[in-house]
Amino acid sequence: MLRNRREYLRHQRGEVDFDEDKLNNVEMATLGGGSERGDLQEGDDRQSSISEARSSEKEGKKTVRQLSVGADVVSSVPLQVTLYYNALFYLLFIVLYIPLFLTKVSESSNSLAQSILYPLVFAIFVVVEPLRLSFGWIGNMKEKVPHLVGFFVLTIFPQTIAAFYLIAWQELIYPLERAVFAVELAVLAPQIVLGFISVRKLMAAQAATVSFYLRQ
């Protein structure tokens, strides 16, 4: 009987040890599963962060691409056309008018206007014209406000004033002079209007660009 009791107690102790070992295994498995779930959660957070960063980068590139592609071209095509033909006409003007100018200077009277003022106005017109055309060409093609403003100012003064003097205010005017400077005035008039419009558009576009980047 004593032997049976000892076996019973040993059997009970074995079951208790088995239950403790089972409990320990369950706890270890639980802890291991929890750490695995934590690692999975951390991995998911990292993946979501990477995905958000990539999506933000793609959106930024898309925005920059849209701004670069959708940006308006401020350069004026009509102004560029007038500048092109004005440059060609200036070359023709030099070829045709220089001999006439030399003839008028050699035959000039003793009047102050014809002997001094006329050569001075003509020299100013010939020297300023290529400078004015280069300002307009660079300012319109490269969208530079200072060049366009310089072109606009030089178109009004001295070129328009000089053209009016050479076509109407001289003492001695040849028919060729009237024809040449009539064409020149016909080119200068639209260039004044187109130059003013181009300056306003370019200044507005640059102001909008600066304000956009300041808001970023």
Side-chain angles (χ1 to χ4, degrees):
M1 183 174 181
L2 182 58
R3 183 179 178 181
N4 293 333
R5 186 175 181 181
R6 287 177 180 175
E7 291 179 356
Y8 175 75
L9 292 174
R10 192 179 299 164
H11 179 71
Q12 290 292 108
R13 192 180 297 110
E15 288 183 353
V16 172
D17 293 339
F18 174 76
D19 291 338
E20 290 179 355
D21 293 338
K22 187 176 180 180
L23 181 61
N24 291 331
N25 292 331
V26 171
E27 289 178 353
M28 291 296 293
T30 303
L31 291 175
S35 63
E36 290 178 358
R37 284 193 297 271
D39 294 337
L40 291 175
Q41 183 66 29
E42 185 177 357
D44 292 338
D45 293 339
R46 290 179 181 176
Q47 189 67 27
S48 62
S49 299
I50 293 173
S51 299
E52 290 178 357
R54 288 179 179 176
S55 62
S56 299
E57 183 179 359
K58 289 180 180 179
E59 290 178 358
K61 291 181 178 180
K62 183 178 179 181
T63 303
V64 172
R65 194 179 301 114
Q66 288 176 349
L67 288 174
S68 61
V69 173
D72 292 334
V73 178
V74 187
S75 299
S76 174
V77 176
L79 178 60
Q80 196 65 30
V81 171
T82 61
L83 289 172
Y84 174 77
Y85 287 108
N86 197 170
L88 296 179
F89 176 75
Y90 178 74
L91 298 177
L92 181 63
F93 167 79
I94 293 296
V95 173
L96 294 177
Y97 198 81
I98 291 297
L100 179 62
F101 169 75
L102 296 176
T103 302
K104 288 187 67 173
V105 170
S106 62
E107 296 177 356
S108 62
S109 60
N110 295 326
S111 64
L112 179 64
Q114 192 66 27
S115 60
I116 297 178
L117 188 58
Y118 166 71
L120 179 62
V121 173
F122 177 77
I124 292 174
F125 182 87
V126 172
V127 171
V128 172
E129 185 68 4
L131 182 64
R132 182 186 73 90
L133 293 175
S134 64
F135 277 176
W137 194 285
I138 296 173
N140 189 47
M141 293 296 293
K142 297 184 178 181
E143 298 181 357
K144 293 185 177 181
V145 174
H147 290 73
L148 272 181
V149 172
F151 163 77
F152 177 72
V153 172
L154 291 178
T155 302
I156 297 175
F157 181 83
Q159 296 305 88
T160 302
I161 305 300
F164 271 116
Y165 171 81
L166 294 171
I167 197 175
W169 299 336
Q170 296 185 71
E171 292 183 0
L172 178 61
I173 303 175
Y174 291 120
L176 179 60
E177 288 181 292
R178 294 186 185 275
V180 168
F181 287 104
V183 175
E184 182 67 24
L185 287 173
V187 175
L188 290 175
Q191 285 181 354
I192 293 174
V193 178
L194 294 173
F196 178 74
I197 295 174
S198 298
V199 169
R200 288 191 59 185
K201 287 179 61 178
L202 184 55
M203 292 180 66
Q206 291 186 357
T209 303
V210 171
S211 63
F212 170 80
Y213 284 108
L214 289 177
R215 288 196 299 267
Q216 298 302 312

